[in-house]
């Protein structure tokens, strides 16, 4: 390019020099002809007529050569400019045609003058001459027209977005409109259309992810194969799994094995009905199972159908339901007890009256009177049993008074001393509560301890070959441990034994009325009575199997504002060996 410019400048200078010499010659020749009346020619006089003629011809030839050379230079420059223009146009067309975006040039009326790719399923050559707005959804045509007209009016770029397709799989396009100028005037608008669907999906996924992670309930997604593909922080907190750990599991690995078939059936129902609600137990990393209510829906996630599950921990709800069921059963038991009590007490009153008549008639028969006292005592036992059944529905009948619970425990153990000795069972007392005085019914609380001790005795002695082993080695005998301690503003009593324990399936039922597995003639109301008494004292009672063997009953009794007395000294830890 630089050599060409130098050559062009040199050629132009030669042309100007020749023209200047010719002009000077013409001026001199004209002046001399004026003075010599066109009879004198200086150059002809100097070089002679023959050479003058040659001179003229050479001058003319030089002029022709120079002019021809200059003309050729101009032609070459025009050719080079045309070549470069064609090259630029070819490069521009190549860039436009290979661009992934659709580039369209329209006039002020929106008529397409050029398009690099097919538009609306129409080839570029067929789309030229058609109106650009006809290729847009109807709802977006006015917005596009205003954008193009604004570019023609202001000369500034503009942009608008178009959404097409259905709700499940929408498609997004972004249109950037820019001016095309000639001599400073906007003669056309260039519209570049880009498919921004993936960007929009990523945007939506980010918003979805933020909501997903911050929702208050546990949310997880499983694919059609049952593989976990997403879980939020609530699920991780409730199961104690890390994100990496839970992503390696299938849904069958995080639910109760006994519910896998049930879960599969519910997922089939979700596939059919699009939504279902059910309950399953989710497994934690520790191996525990937490009851959850699952609201499951069939959704489209990352292009494939998946199950979106919202899990709500219903452990508290289950506990309240069980308490309500137990309360209803207690109420039903009370109503039944009331009717039974009426049927039993009426004959008992008649028998008691008859016994009194017999006592009066046979005052001197001491042997008969002794037997009558035994019968009367048995009737009294029947009356007390009926009374306990009635009190199960209306606890709190006995008068509450300040009482030392540690003392009640000691008194109760003293009452069953012979029974424990007979069954080769020893009691270890660990009454370490700093404060054990509260307002309570000593009769009712004592009945609770009595029932629990008797249950422990029955549990221990029900073990196979218990008496043979205990007689052979005293160390293999039974043991009941009773401990008290203070926790928060409560007195906690634990009664534990070394018996065979309680079946895990029965732990939630042992406080239900008439539930028993210990003996064929058992009534199954002892623990129900204990539960009613403890609840009447605003306390709680629970049972749990101990590691190895045995079961522990835990009673928590709250101190009232006027019963807590921190001045009562703790009883020393001691062991009561019953021999």
């Amino acid at each position: 390019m630089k050599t060409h410019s130098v050559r062009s400048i040199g050629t132009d200078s030669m042309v100007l020099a020749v023209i200047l010499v010719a002009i000077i010659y013409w001026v001199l020749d004209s002046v001399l002809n004026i003075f010599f009346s066109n009879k004198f020619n200086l150059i002809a006089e100097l070089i002679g007529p023959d050479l003058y003629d040659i001179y003229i011809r050479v001058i003319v030839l030089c002029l022709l050569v120079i002019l021809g050379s200059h003309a050729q230079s101009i032609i070459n420059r025009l050719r080079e400019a045309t070549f470069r223009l064609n090259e630029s146009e070819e490069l521009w067309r190549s860039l436009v045609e290979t661009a992934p975006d659709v580039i369209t040039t329209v006039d002020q009326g929106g008529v397409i003058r050029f398009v690099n790719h097919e538009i609306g399923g129409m080839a570029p050559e067929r789309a030229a001459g058609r109106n650009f707005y006809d290729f847009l959804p109807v709802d977006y045509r006015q917005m596009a027209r205003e954008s193009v007209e604004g570019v023609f009016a202001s000369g500034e770029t503009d942009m608008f977005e178009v959404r097409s397709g259905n709700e499940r799989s929408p498609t997004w396009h972004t249109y950037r409109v820019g001016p095309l100028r000639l001599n400073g005037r906007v003669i056309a608008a260039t519209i570049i259309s880009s498919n921004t669907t993936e960007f929009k999906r990523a945007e939506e996924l980010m918003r979805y992810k933020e909501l997903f992670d911050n929702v208050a309930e546990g949310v997880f997604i499983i694919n059609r194969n049952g593989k976990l593909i997403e879980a939020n922080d609530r699920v991780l907190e409730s199961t104690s799994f890390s994100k990496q750990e839970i992503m390696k599991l299938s849904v069958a690995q995080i639910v109760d094995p006994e519910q896998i078939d049930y879960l599969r059936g519910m997922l089939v129902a979700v596939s059919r009905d699009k939504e279902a609600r059910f309950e399953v137990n989710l497994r934690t990393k520790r191996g525990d199972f937490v009851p959850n209510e699952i609201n499951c829906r069939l959704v489209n996630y990352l292009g494939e159908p998946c199950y979106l599950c919202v899990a709500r921990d219903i452990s508290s709800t289950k506990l309240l339901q069980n308490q309500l069921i137990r309360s209803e059963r207690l109420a039903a038991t009370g109503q039944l007890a009331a009717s039974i009590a009426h049927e039993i007490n009426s004959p008992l009153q008649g028998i008691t009256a008859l016994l009194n008549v017999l006592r009066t008639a046979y005052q001197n028969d001491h042997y008969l009177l002794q037997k009558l006292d035994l019968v009367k005592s048995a009737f009294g036992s029947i009356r007390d049993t009926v009374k306990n059944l009635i009190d199960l529905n209306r606890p709190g009948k006995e008068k509450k008074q300040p009482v030392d619970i540690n003392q009640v425990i000691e008194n109760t153990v003293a009452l069953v001393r012979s029974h424990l000795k007979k069954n080769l069972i020893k009691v270890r007392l660990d009454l370490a509560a700093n404060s054990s005085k509260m307002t309570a019914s000593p009769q009712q609380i004592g009945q609770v301890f009595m029932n629990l001790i008797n249950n422990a005795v029955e549990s221990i002695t029900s073990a196979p070959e218990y008496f043979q082993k205990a007689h052979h080695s005293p160390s293999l005998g039974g043991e009941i441990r009773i401990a008290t301690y203070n926790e928060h503003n409560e007195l906690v009593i634990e009664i534990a034994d070394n018996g065979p324990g309680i079946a895990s399936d029965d732990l939630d039922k042992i406080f239900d009325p008439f539930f028993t597995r210990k003996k064929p003639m058992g009534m199954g109301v002892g623990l129900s009575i204990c539960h009613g008494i403890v609840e009447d004292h605003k306390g709680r009672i629970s049972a749990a199997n101990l590691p190895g063997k045995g079961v522990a009953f835990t009673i928590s009794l709250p101190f009232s504002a006027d019963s807590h007395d921190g001045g009562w000294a703790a009883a020393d830890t001691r062991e009561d060996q019953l021999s």
Side-chain angles (χ1 to χ4, degrees), residues 330 376 514 545 564:
L330 289 173
K376 188 175 181 180
F514 307 120
N545 286 316
H564 189 76

Side-chain angles (χ1 to χ4, degrees), residues 460-474:
I460 292 171
T461 57
S462 66
E465 301 180 352
Y466 165 73
F467 285 102
Q468 293 89 328
K469 295 177 181 178
H471 279 294
H472 183 267
S473 175

Side-chain angles (χ1 to χ4, degrees), residues 48 118 172 239 256 293 322-323 385 416 467 545 561 573:
E118 69 175 29
W172 288 90
T239 61
D256 190 338
E293 181 183 62
N322 292 336
Q323 290 177 348
T385 300
V416 296
F467 285 102
N545 286 316
T573 300

Side-chain angles (χ1 to χ4, degrees), residues 310-324:
V310 180
R312 183 170 63 89
D313 187 342
I314 56 173
S315 301
S316 301
T317 304
K318 284 288 186 183
L319 180 61
L320 292 175
Q321 286 177 348
N322 292 336
Q323 290 177 348
L324 179 60

Side-chain angles (χ1 to χ4, degrees), residues 199-435:
F199 175 76
K200 283 290 184 181
R201 285 180 180 173
E203 232 179 19
E204 290 177 357
L205 282 175
M206 288 298 294
R207 289 196 297 268
Y208 163 76
K209 179 68 174 173
E210 186 175 355
L211 293 173
F212 184 85
D213 288 336
N214 289 285
V215 70
E217 307 290 356
V219 184
F220 57 92
I221 300 175
I222 56 179
N223 61 18
R224 299 299 289 269
N225 298 323
K227 181 74 171 58
L228 277 161
I229 58 177
E230 192 57 77
N232 72 347
D233 293 340
R234 303 293 87 73
V235 174
L236 304 181
E237 291 171 3
S238 63
T239 61
S240 301
F241 286 109
S242 67
K243 190 66 173 287
Q244 293 76 14
E245 291 171 334
I246 205 167
M247 288 297 100
K248 297 177 182 178
L249 303 177
S250 66
V251 67
Q253 294 174 292
I254 64 168
V255 300
D256 190 338
E258 296 180 357
Q259 296 179 322
I260 292 177
D261 291 337
Y262 166 72
L263 177 62
R264 286 174 180 156
M266 294 310 302
L267 293 180
V268 171
V270 173
S271 299
R272 181 184 65 247
D273 303 330
K274 308 304 181 187
E275 185 174 4
R277 181 172 293 182
F278 50 91
E279 293 182 9
V280 294
N281 297 326
L282 296 183
R283 182 176 68 88
T284 67
K285 189 176 181 179
R286 299 180 299 272
D288 304 328
F289 291 98
V290 180
N292 276 264
E293 181 183 62
I294 307 294
N295 189 9
C296 185
R297 297 190 65 182
L298 188 66
V299 298
N300 190 40
Y301 180 70
L302 298 179
E304 65 172 317
C306 296
Y307 300 103
L308 174 65
C309 301
V310 180
R312 183 170 63 89
D313 187 342
I314 56 173
S315 301
S316 301
T317 304
K318 284 288 186 183
L319 180 61
L320 292 175
Q321 286 177 348
N322 292 336
Q323 290 177 348
L324 179 60
I325 292 172
R326 185 173 291 119
S327 298
E328 291 176 350
R329 288 178 177 175
L330 289 173
T333 303
Q335 294 173 359
L336 178 62
S339 63
I340 293 175
H342 176 72
E343 297 296 329
I344 294 176
N345 283 334
S346 295
L348 281 179
Q349 289 175 0
I351 294 173
T352 304
L354 181 59
L355 290 175
N356 290 332
V357 172
L358 289 174
R359 287 181 63 85
T360 302
Y362 297 95
Q363 297 181 33
N364 298 324
D365 192 341
H366 296 290
Y367 178 77
L368 178 61
L369 293 177
Q370 185 179 13
K371 297 301 181 183
L372 290 177
D373 288 338
L374 291 175
V375 173
K376 188 175 181 180
S377 175
F379 286 154
S381 178
I382 296 173
R383 184 193 63 232
D384 291 341
T385 300
V386 173
K387 177 176 174 293
N388 287 336
L389 283 173
I390 295 174
D391 290 341
L392 180 65
N393 191 48
R394 52 180 185 185
K397 187 176 179 181
E398 287 82 358
K399 181 180 178 182
K400 293 182 176 66
Q401 55 188 299
V403 61
D404 184 359
I405 301 299
N406 284 346
Q407 188 63 50
V408 173
I409 293 173
E410 291 180 337
N411 293 341
T412 304
V413 171
L415 288 174
V416 296
R417 184 184 300 274
S418 61
H419 183 54
L420 296 171
K421 180 179 178 180
K422 177 184 176 180
N423 289 281
L424 307 175
I425 297 173
K426 61 183 178 181
V427 174
R428 185 159 62 92
L429 298 180
D430 185 11
L431 309 181
N434 291 326
S435 180

Side-chain angles (χ1 to χ4, degrees), residues 115 150 193 246 334 423 436 453 516 526:
V115 61
S193 171
I246 205 167
N423 289 281
S436 60
I453 291 173
T516 181

